[in-house]
């Protein structure tokens, strides 16, 4: 059917509301499904999505009672019902799968909620879905991992062969009753994080909340691919080789881990470059026309150079490393690529310096400040007043999901430093 054709159960206005909620474009109505495509093409989501008419009805009813999609995570908050649903993903093969789930018991008490299934599992056709539900001692609050509710169906593709929408596992929090939107989401998030932490540590089953992407993530590679393969000419220390390969082995989307692996390569070379820079400064003093080894003032110049070098911060050492090993034309070439405004003032990463090609400050200085600030935001996940001016950059956060151009930047730096020190 052509775009705009609607089921007799839905008006064009209702379908338009559904499309706007999920940033979709309606393309067809077939059988018991509304068919959409994403209005913006995400790197991973290229397929059409289908919303069963029954789910569409529940979505509109939920929206009419002020239910909303969450901003930080994929999922819904329904304040009137005191209900929050998070999309989740299993990070690794866990203990709660297959027949093993029959071994588990759950603190499921009598409660005030209506649940569609009971632990430990639910069978739908040939599929078996885990059902993990625990209940507070007073029966007012339940936490459940089970097959998704109708609210989470729209983000899934249509299985055309089976003529049914696919399902995923979601985490649901049922509170004791209606609550304000912010309070409802905050309480549910605290409970979800605690529950997932204990599942991981006590039950060896690792789930994670799925962050919500507001817009596509740009993955522009800032270098051309070389198609000629040669016998190796670059000698790479074992530690450096391991660090450089680590991002390729990392879980998809783990940009913070990739960033730190490349940064560790820079750290590996900091001592050698720092010594080289110190020796160069001392030689400059020795070669000075007014240097006289019999004069205390001349000897003090040498001592001053050494002391200043010894007291250099890691940020200053990083700047010296980039100045020494990374040609300015390489940096300029990197930033001349189209990174979608990522490195500008309005870029998606907060608390870091923007990069300006025509600034009076050198590119090496600007880059070292940005890279070091990012490193601090990633590793200083602690309550320390020294880093209070910048928030922690957590894995899976909105910023972490958009960190790819900075990962490409520190990767470029690592390559140039390795080549300069071969």
């Amino acid at each position: 059917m052509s775009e705009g054709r609607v089921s007799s159960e839905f008006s064009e206005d209702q379908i338009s509301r559904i499309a706007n909620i999920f940033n979709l474009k309606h393309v067809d109505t077939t059988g018991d499904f509304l068919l959409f495509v994403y209005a913006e093409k995400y790197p991973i989501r290229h397929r059409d999505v289908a919303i069963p008419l029954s789910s569409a009805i529940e979505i509109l009813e939920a929206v009419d009672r002020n239910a909303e999609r969450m901003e930080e995570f994929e999922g819904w908050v329904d304040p009137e019902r005191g209900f929050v649903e998070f999309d989740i993903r299993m990070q690794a093969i866990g203990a709660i799968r297959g027949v093993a789930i029959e071994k588990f018991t759950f603190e499921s008490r009598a409660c005030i909620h209506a649940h569609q299934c009971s632990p430990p599992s639910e069978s739908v056709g040939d599929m078996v879905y885990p059902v993990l539900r625990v209940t507070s001692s007073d029966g007012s609050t339940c936490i459940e991992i089970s097959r998704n509710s109708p609210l989470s169906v729209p983000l899934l593709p249509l299985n055309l062969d089976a003529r049914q929408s696919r399902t995923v596992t979601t985490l649901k929090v049922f509170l004791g009753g209606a609550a304000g939107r912010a309070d409802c989401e905050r309480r549910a998030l605290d409970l979800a994080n605690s529950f997932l932490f204990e599942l991981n540590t006590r039950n060896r089953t690792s789930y994670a909340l799925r962050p919500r992407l507001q817009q596509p993530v740009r993955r522009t590679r800032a270098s051309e691919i070389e198609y000629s393969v040669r016998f190796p000419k670059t000698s790479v220390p074992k530690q450096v080789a391991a660090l450089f390969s680590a991002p390729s082995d990392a879980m998809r989307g783990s940009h913070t881990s990739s960033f730190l692996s490349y940064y560790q390569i820079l750290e590996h070379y900091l001592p050698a470059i720092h010594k080289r820079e110190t020796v160069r400064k001392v030689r400059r003093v020795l070669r000075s026309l007014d240097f006289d080894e019999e004069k205390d003032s001349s000897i003090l110049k040498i001592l001053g150079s050494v002391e200043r070098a010894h007291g250099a911060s890691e940020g200053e050492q990083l700047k010296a490393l980039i100045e020494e090993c990374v040609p300015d034309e390489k940096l300029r070439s990197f930033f001349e690529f189209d990174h979608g405004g990522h490195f500008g003032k309005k870029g998606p990463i907060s608390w870091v310096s923007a990069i300006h090609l025509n600034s009076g400050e050198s590119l090496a200085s600007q880059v070292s400040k940005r890279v070091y600030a990012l490193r601090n935001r990633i590793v200083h996940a602690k309550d320390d007043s020294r880093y209070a001016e910048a928030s922690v950059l957590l894995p899976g956060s909105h910023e972490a999901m958009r960190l790819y151009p900075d990962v490409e930047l520190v990767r470029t730096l690592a390559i140039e430093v390795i080549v300069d020190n071969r």
Side-chain angles (χ1 to χ4, degrees):
M1 298 182 181
S2 61
E3 180 180 352
R5 180 173 176 178
V6 298
S7 165
S8 58
E9 297 184 47
F10 282 86
S11 67
E12 291 189 11
D13 179 66
Q14 288 174 313
I15 293 181
S16 178
R17 287 176 64 194
I18 294 287
N20 289 335
I21 290 169
F22 300 104
N23 194 27
L24 301 173
K25 179 182 178 183
H26 180 241
V27 294
D28 205 352
T29 302
T30 178
D32 295 327
F33 295 92
L34 300 174
L35 301 183
F36 298 86
V37 294
Y38 284 93
E40 296 184 61
K41 292 296 183 182
Y42 285 72
I44 300 172
R45 298 172 178 162
H46 293 296
R47 297 169 294 190
D48 297 350
V49 290
I51 304 177
L53 299 182
S54 58
S55 296
I57 292 172
E58 293 200 38
I59 292 166
L60 291 176
E61 289 175 349
V63 171
D64 286 340
R65 62 174 180 265
N66 297 319
E68 296 180 87
R69 291 182 70 192
M70 287 180 281
E71 294 183 0
E72 187 174 356
F73 299 100
E74 291 286 8
W76 284 81
V77 54
D78 191 338
E80 188 174 305
R81 292 176 55 205
F83 173 77
V84 180
E85 181 172 15
F86 298 91
D87 281 14
I88 57 175
R89 54 173 177 247
M90 183 174 276
Q91 300 287 73
I93 296 177
I96 302 180
R97 61 182 287 123
V99 295
I101 194 172
E102 302 295 337
K103 300 178 181 179
F104 287 84
T105 60
F106 306 95
E107 290 183 344
S108 296
R109 305 178 177 90
C111 66
I112 61 175
H113 314 107
H115 299 286
Q116 65 179 2
C117 49
S118 299
S121 62
E122 176 191 19
S123 297
V124 180
D126 297 331
M127 299 295 296
V128 177
Y129 297 93
V131 179
L132 288 60
R133 183 165 68 250
V134 293
T135 306
S136 61
S137 57
D138 62 0
S140 66
T141 304
C142 291
I143 309 170
E144 177 180 295
I145 291 179
S146 60
R147 192 164 53 97
N148 61 275
S149 77
L151 288 178
S152 293
V153 169
L155 302 183
L156 304 172
L158 176 67
N159 183 338
L160 291 174
D161 293 331
R163 284 297 178 190
Q164 62 183 6
S165 59
R166 290 175 55 190
T167 56
V168 293
T169 302
T170 60
L171 186 151
K172 307 164 187 68
V173 178
F174 302 82
L175 300 174
R181 187 203 184 287
D183 183 55
C184 186
E185 184 174 341
R186 178 188 58 78
R187 290 162 58 193
L189 181 58
D190 288 344
L191 288 169
N193 284 331
S194 297
F195 187 52
L196 295 183
F197 173 77
E198 292 203 4
L199 279 180
N200 193 337
T201 56
R202 298 182 72 251
N203 310 115
R204 298 304 294 267
T205 293
S206 182
Y207 289 97
L209 303 181
R210 190 183 298 277
R212 179 179 173 186
L213 293 181
Q214 301 287 3
Q215 46 187 285
V217 178
R218 295 180 63 91
R219 284 182 170 265
T220 304
R221 297 192 182 277
S223 60
E224 299 295 336
I225 296 176
E226 176 58 63
Y227 291 99
S228 62
V229 182
R230 71 184 189 186
F231 195 84
K233 298 181 180 179
T234 307
S235 177
V236 183
K238 181 174 68 174
Q239 303 96 311
V240 172
L243 289 169
F244 196 86
S245 64
S248 299
D249 296 332
M251 185 186 309
R252 183 179 64 193
S254 184
H255 296 324
T256 53
S257 296
S258 297
F259 182 95
L260 290 180
S261 290
Y262 291 130
Y263 187 88
Q264 284 180 286
I265 294 174
L266 303 182
E267 285 184 317
H268 176 85
Y269 289 101
L270 283 181
I273 299 302
H274 186 53
K275 289 179 183 177
R276 187 194 305 176
E277 179 72 4
T278 302
V279 170
R280 186 173 61 81
K281 289 181 178 179
V282 170
R283 282 204 177 106
R284 183 184 299 163
V285 174
L286 293 173
R287 290 169 179 170
S288 174
L289 295 177
D290 60 354
F291 178 79
D292 186 345
E293 62 183 15
E294 300 298 327
K295 291 183 178 180
D296 289 349
S297 58
S298 292
I299 302 301
L300 287 173
K301 286 182 180 179
I302 296 176
L303 292 175
S305 296
V306 174
E307 287 175 352
R308 283 193 297 273
H310 180 72
S313 66
E314 184 171 333
E316 292 170 332
Q317 292 182 53
L318 180 62
K319 177 185 175 183
L321 177 74
I322 296 173
E323 289 176 336
E324 181 78 14
C325 302
V326 185
D328 186 73
E329 59 268 23
K330 287 285 185 179
L331 293 177
R332 189 165 294 276
S333 175
F334 177 91
F335 291 109
E336 285 175 349
F337 272 81
D338 177 18
H339 296 285
H342 180 89
F343 295 100
K345 284 186 177 180
K346 297 182 179 180
I349 311 300
S350 304
W351 307 103
V352 294
S353 303
I355 304 296
H356 302 285
L357 287 176
N358 298 319
S359 169
E361 185 178 9
S362 71
L363 277 178
S365 176
Q366 294 181 66
V367 167
S368 65
K369 288 178 181 178
R370 183 182 180 97
V371 169
Y372 189 60
L374 270 174
R375 175 262 184 195
N376 287 343
R377 287 197 59 198
I378 294 171
V379 303
H380 291 146
K382 56 188 177 183
D383 186 13
D384 192 323
S385 58
R386 289 179 299 169
Y387 310 109
E389 71 278 2
S391 61
V392 176
L393 205 164
L394 296 172
S397 65
H398 281 242
E399 288 184 302
M401 298 295 284
R402 290 167 170 76
L403 197 60
Y404 185 78
D406 280 291
V407 174
E408 278 287 290
L409 171 59
V410 75
R411 179 180 185 273
T412 299
L413 299 178
I415 291 172
E416 293 302 319
V417 170
I418 293 170
V419 171
D420 189 75
N421 287 271
R422 61 182 175 178

